[in-house]
Amino acid sequence: MATYLVHDRRILGRTPMTMAGGFFQTSENTPLSTMIAMVNIFAAATGKIDWLYIMAHGITEVNSESLGRYESLGLGIKICKENLLIGNLGLLSAWNGKVSNILLLSCSIAGVTPASKRPVNPHIQEPGGEVFCQTIASVTGATVMASDANQLYTRITRQANWKGWLGMKEDEGDINSGSFLQMEGNVRLFKP
């Protein structure tokens, strides 16, 4: 079973390299096309990726309207330079037939803003997480699994020397993949 992890380094911690058979790290400087190509290269080498894990921040937005505060959920994934947004998901069609399942390890990516909390402004259109995740499933031909809630994870620090535990900087420590895979909230499946 071939597995691959894409880790956007804005998720703090060292990449859990044992989580998958291969991995690629992105940042705010990595072109989206490079990340897409790296997944394709791994798929070509293994025949097909059974599980593609994407570890990156979900994009949400908190707004204040005269009727109160609301949060827009499932707006996109903060990955690479361009981010994944509803408008550029068609680029993921390059994975069609190469990936069976995609697990989005991103906060609130399958979330939908409740109708009662949406803005009254008709010029604001929110596709929401359902449309976002379903679009990924449709263009990639893969089943997508994602949650509607914020995701929590822990990092593992290792004994650095015989004197005991050393203080680690905030971005150090291996990401505990087990804590990431125990997803919070309602985990939903989106079929192609």
Side-chain angles (χ1 to χ4, degrees):
M1 180 168 96
T3 56
Y4 195 69
L5 168 66
V6 176
H7 172 204
D8 190 283
R9 296 286 294 146
R10 288 170 278 192
I11 296 280
L12 296 178
R14 286 190 293 261
T15 302
M17 294 180 219
T18 59
M19 186 173 172
F23 69 92
F24 180 67
Q25 296 174 332
T26 69
S27 73
E28 64 276 1
N29 299 316
T30 307
L32 193 54
S33 59
T34 301
M35 185 268 294
I36 292 168
M38 293 305 291
V39 171
N40 282 341
I41 289 168
F42 188 79
T46 59
K48 188 172 191 176
I49 297 173
D50 296 300
W51 281 97
L52 172 62
Y53 305 113
I54 298 180
M55 187 181 291
H57 289 294
I59 299 173
T60 61
E61 184 177 302
V62 176
N63 300 291
S64 294
E65 292 282 320
S66 59
L67 296 176
R69 187 180 155 168
Y70 71 94
E71 184 176 18
S72 300
L73 304 173
L75 299 178
I77 299 175
K78 186 174 271 199
I79 191 164
C80 299
K81 187 187 304 183
E82 302 89 339
N83 296 323
L84 275 175
L85 306 168
I86 196 75
N88 66 5
L89 291 180
L91 297 172
L92 300 183
S93 64
W95 294 345
N96 198 304
K98 299 172 184 170
V99 177
S100 298
N101 301 285
I102 300 172
L103 180 58
L104 300 176
L105 299 166
S106 303
C107 287
S108 304
I109 197 59
V112 177
T113 306
S116 62
K117 302 218 181 225
R118 289 185 189 150
V120 244
N121 186 341
H123 300 292
I124 298 176
Q125 295 182 352
E126 297 182 31
E130 285 181 341
V131 173
F132 185 83
C133 293
Q134 186 58 60
T135 302
I136 292 175
S138 296
V139 300
T140 62
T143 298
V144 172
M145 183 184 292
S147 174
D148 65 356
N150 287 335
Q151 301 302 297
L152 303 173
Y153 71 100
T154 58
R155 289 194 302 269
I156 303 166
T157 55
R158 304 203 185 277
Q159 193 167 355
N161 62 25
W162 63 272
K163 292 180 182 178
W165 295 93
L166 295 178
M168 300 192 92
K169 295 179 185 173
E170 188 178 12
D171 64 343
E172 293 180 348
D174 296 339
I175 292 173
N176 179 350
S177 59
S179 71
F180 235 127
L181 292 172
Q182 294 174 355
M183 297 171 73
E184 283 76 32
N186 299 308
V187 179
R188 305 188 54 207
L189 285 177
F190 300 87
K191 298 283 189 181

